[in-house]
Amino acid sequence: MADQAFVTLATNDSYAKGAMVLGESLRNHKTTKKLVALIGPHVTEPSRAVLNKIYDEVRVVDVLDSGDTAHLVMMKRPDLGVTFTKLHCWALTQYSKCVFMDADTMVVSNVDELFDREELSAAPDPGWPDCFNSGVFVFRPSDETYNKLLRFCAEHGSFDGGDQGVLNSFFSDWATADITKHLPFIYNLSSVAIYTYTPAFKQYGGNAKVVHFLGKTKPWGYTFDPKQRRIRGDVQEASAHPSFLLEWWTIYSSLVVPMLQQEYGDQPFLSGCEEDLSYSTQNASPLLSSQERKQKWEQGQADYMGIDSFDNIQKRLDAFLK
């Protein structure tokens, strides 16, 4: 239906990469719904351009400068900025029903059947199953609900400092009122929770429809060798089932990176793919001797976008420490 949409949020270029993979995964699995991306003002033009190729609608949201009800509420609770940004999804009133998905999720099967559910349908959080995880949820956009949420947020804050605390407090009867609003775990399979009940994952994990890359290190925090299809980094930290992480990188390297390269043109950027890292560190600027580089550093002329970028320095440190 034209008035139903999957919605995600990216506040910076890193999460924009996640949103790009999420959008491509939804397209790959033949969704019939619209795709909407809410983005923060810090998302750069190349990332916005790629998102516009994948999503039907890309909307910039910045509640601090919006001048609407959210702006007035934010004056009382500026600490909840990111939370307020996510609540903007209820303002998408051109749609009758939506499914929100965090930018660090990926679908591995068609999930259009989620639109048969009602607000607020979500899967239990593995850390406290009487709370729902706000990484995937079904909702109905509504100006009334939006304004109620903003006021609730301002008056009560969030017990966990983020949107999940606010939403669980607002939809406080989720745990007890209507079991049909409890999504099966396969719609929000938390990658870091897999190993907490390994037998269950072995039994049911093959039915997973949505993977949620919870945890400190997100998929885009690793590097990837496309030729050998190998991920560099502590994969176990992100997932006890690395094939999900490999699938994320396969989509990113084959579908997203070419679009980013087209948008950046001759301007170097770090995609996270090792062959591109090699290119950016060797060809983005003329090769200098160690002495010449030292002199440029001393003169405050380090090549921050190329060989002297933070990511490249970090990789050298990691290699040295290993």
Side-chain angles (χ1 to χ4, degrees):
M1 294 177 65
D3 65 342
Q4 297 182 341
F6 285 100
V7 182
T8 193
L9 167 67
T11 53
N12 55 42
D13 276 1
S14 294
Y15 277 85
K17 292 178 180 178
M20 293 168 196
V21 171
L22 170 61
E24 289 288 7
S25 70
L26 285 162
R27 298 282 188 206
N28 288 347
H29 292 289
K30 311 298 182 186
T31 182
T32 61
K33 312 300 180 181
K34 296 287 187 179
L35 302 187
V36 179
L38 305 179
I39 62 171
H42 299 301
V43 175
T44 61
E45 286 302 324
S47 293
R48 294 186 191 194
V50 173
L51 286 169
N52 271 300
K53 292 179 180 178
I54 300 171
Y55 284 78
D56 297 295
E57 180 181 356
V58 177
R59 179 182 295 193
V60 180
V61 290
D62 182 5
V63 293
L64 283 170
D65 299 324
S66 65
D68 58 11
T69 307
H71 173 76
L72 299 175
V73 175
M74 281 293 292
M75 295 303 97
K76 299 177 182 177
R77 295 304 301 266
D79 54 308
L80 295 174
V82 175
T83 296
F84 276 72
T85 306
K86 192 168 184 178
L87 298 184
H88 261 302
C89 65
W90 266 273
L92 296 169
T93 52
Q94 69 269 43
Y95 301 103
S96 64
K97 188 185 291 186
C98 296
V99 174
F100 184 91
M101 303 185 73
D102 275 348
D104 58 351
T105 62
M106 176 184 70
V107 304
V108 294
S109 178
N110 184 286
V111 291
D112 284 2
E113 68 272 14
L114 285 174
F115 289 85
D116 296 334
R117 304 279 184 147
E118 286 302 322
E119 181 178 85
L120 187 288
S121 292
D125 188 87
W128 192 264
D130 278 347
C131 288
F132 58 82
N133 183 280
S134 62
V136 178
F137 59 84
V138 183
F139 71 100
R140 284 189 177 275
S142 158
D143 287 332
E144 181 183 0
T145 305
Y146 176 58
N147 289 317
K148 284 182 178 178
L149 275 164
L150 293 175
R151 288 195 295 271
F152 184 91
C153 199
E155 293 171 6
H156 302 284
S158 168
F159 67 75
D160 67 357
D163 62 272
Q164 184 160 303
V166 170
L167 292 175
N168 270 277
S169 296
F170 186 82
F171 295 99
S172 58
D173 64 351
W174 174 86
T176 56
D178 187 352
I179 194 67
T180 65
K181 294 182 180 180
H182 290 213
L183 296 180
F185 195 55
I186 59 171
Y187 288 105
N188 193 347
L189 182 68
S190 304
S191 61
V192 293
I194 289 171
Y195 52 82
T196 61
Y197 192 10
T198 304
F201 176 74
K202 290 180 178 178
Q203 179 73 12
Y204 304 112
N207 298 322
K209 287 177 173 282
V210 180
V211 179
H212 193 176
F213 295 100
L214 291 171
K216 181 180 178 181
T217 306
K218 301 302 180 185
W220 52 86
Y222 298 87
T223 57
F224 180 64
D225 183 343
K227 293 180 179 178
Q228 298 187 14
R229 290 176 53 79
R230 183 178 299 173
I231 298 165
R232 309 289 185 184
D234 186 3
V235 175
Q236 293 299 321
E237 180 188 336
S239 172
H241 198 68
S243 65
F244 291 136
L245 197 57
L246 182 60
E247 184 171 346
W248 189 97
W249 270 99
T250 300
I251 294 172
Y252 175 71
S253 62
S254 62
L255 299 177
V256 173
V257 170
M259 287 190 285
L260 284 169
Q261 288 173 332
Q262 183 178 2
E263 294 303 325
Y264 276 97
D266 295 332
Q267 181 183 353
F269 79 102
L270 292 176
S271 69
C273 296
E274 291 191 349
E275 57 188 12
D276 294 330
L277 288 172
S278 174
Y279 173 84
S280 65
T281 56
Q282 292 180 21
N283 300 328
S285 59
L287 292 176
L288 303 173
S289 68
S290 296
Q291 185 62 31
E292 287 173 324
R293 285 186 63 209
K294 181 181 177 182
Q295 288 175 352
K296 284 192 171 292
W297 269 82
E298 291 172 346
Q299 296 166 4
Q301 298 175 354
D303 182 14
Y304 295 115
M305 298 300 292
I307 196 169
D308 299 320
S309 70
F310 174 81
D311 285 344
N312 286 332
I313 293 172
Q314 184 68 53
K315 286 177 175 60
R316 284 180 172 78
L317 286 172
D318 291 343
F320 175 77
L321 292 172
K322 286 180 182 179

